[in-house]
Amino acid sequence: MAIHLPQPKQLKDLLTDLLGRDVTLSPSTPYAPGLDEATSIALYVDDHLNIVAVIACDLPFSAHAGAAIGLVPPGGAEAAIDDGKLTDTLAENLYEVLNIGASVFNVEGADHVKLHALHPAGMPTDPMLRLRVLTLGRREDLAVDIAGYGAGRLSVVLT
Amino acid sequence: MKILIADDSRVMRQIVVRTLRQAGHGGHDIVEAENGKQALELVQSEQPDLVLSDWNMPEMTGIDCLSALRASGSTVKFGFVTSEGSDEMRERAAAAGAAFLIAKPFTPEAFDDALRSVI
């Protein structure tokens, strides 16, 4: 069996249902966050705890998605973006978005995948973890706009 | 009726409450638990009519909570609200005595369909 690379349509449907808002996805260049760039990195593991995928989100997507799922007003997301890091509430909310996000990997015939950990944007992250985001090959790089909130970037990378 | 919602995510408990309302099931008495162990205790002390539980939680998982409830003789109606929506999970849930499994992300319609079978 193998890890399933989620299709943009799956991600769009997931985010639309989860956030209860229109979500627009468009292809983007590979997301390669620098060391100083606030980035959320979610680690996904298989049933043997091997890291098999990461989802990286820039700070704007992290803040907008974390706010939208919890009905936090858009101003709360903007304040976090200006501040350069997620609040604890936005980080907790983003965790739930990316936890449920594991379902896009779990299609018929693919290895079972679940969220292992989230490193929220604005906190120091292990350089080795950032390197996983830079992996080329099986990945989806998307620009995501959440209606009523704003745009950001999200990348799914199989490692 | 009294509904116990068990989920380790606070935002997900809020979403479940909101979705119940959107599905036309507002106005129920809601009790919240952060994990399966707490849910097990609250079923005894609060005597809810229905438990809506996540699957993966710290301390005690939802399926372990359900098994413990059934082993203790509790017949409380129990449904899962979980991101684990595979056929295998559905079969395990049903075998353990769950009335339904709602996969996250969910719609108010999915809630209404599931709840109408038990309310």
Side-chain angles (χ1 to χ4, degrees), chain B residues 2-109:
Chain B
K2 188 182 274 190
I3 302 176
L4 172 63
I5 298 170
D7 199 310
D8 54 321
S9 162
R10 190 177 34 158
V11 70
M12 189 45 62
R13 295 198 300 273
Q14 289 171 357
I15 291 171
V16 170
V17 172
R18 194 162 78 216
T19 308
L20 279 170
R21 199 167 55 235
Q22 290 167 342
H25 297 281
H28 293 297
D29 191 5
I30 303 289
V31 183
E32 297 185 27
E34 293 179 4
N35 57 56
K37 186 165 174 284
Q38 201 180 17
L40 189 58
E41 290 163 4
L42 285 172
V43 169
Q44 315 294 344
S45 60
E46 296 281 339
Q47 302 281 317
D49 303 291
L50 171 67
V51 180
L52 295 175
S53 176
D54 189 13
W55 190 293
N56 295 311
M57 292 182 287
E59 300 281 339
M60 180 186 266
T61 63
I63 192 86
D64 287 346
C65 174
L66 174 57
S67 299
L69 283 170
R70 295 295 182 252
S72 72
S74 169
T75 56
V76 65
K77 289 167 185 159
F78 194 107
F80 284 103
V81 181
T82 171
S83 50
E84 303 281 7
S86 67
D87 288 345
E88 183 197 344
M89 292 298 194
R90 288 177 187 278
E91 284 165 18
R92 281 184 64 192
F100 55 81
L101 185 151
I102 299 170
K104 298 174 187 172
F106 41 72
T107 58
E109 291 73 28

Side-chain angles (χ1 to χ4, degrees), chain A residues 15-48:
Chain A
L15 292 170
T16 303
D17 289 348
L18 191 53
L19 305 180
R21 293 181 167 269
D22 284 339
V23 175
T24 311
L25 264 60
S26 49
S28 177
T29 53
Y31 180 44
L35 276 178
D36 296 332
E37 186 172 348
T39 304
S40 298
I41 302 175
L43 288 176
Y44 293 88
V45 295
D46 64 13
D47 290 338
H48 306 288

Side-chain angles (χ1 to χ4, degrees), chain A residues 54-103:
Chain A
V54 297
I55 293 183
C57 317
D58 68 0
L59 176 60
F61 175 83
S62 302
H64 295 316
I69 191 176
L71 299 183
V72 175
E78 294 303 330
I81 294 167
D82 290 345
D83 202 28
K85 63 178 183 190
L86 295 180
T87 62
D88 290 348
T89 299
L90 291 180
E92 191 184 318
N93 291 0
L94 180 66
Y95 181 94
E96 197 53 30
V97 173
L98 295 167
N99 182 34
I100 298 172
S103 61

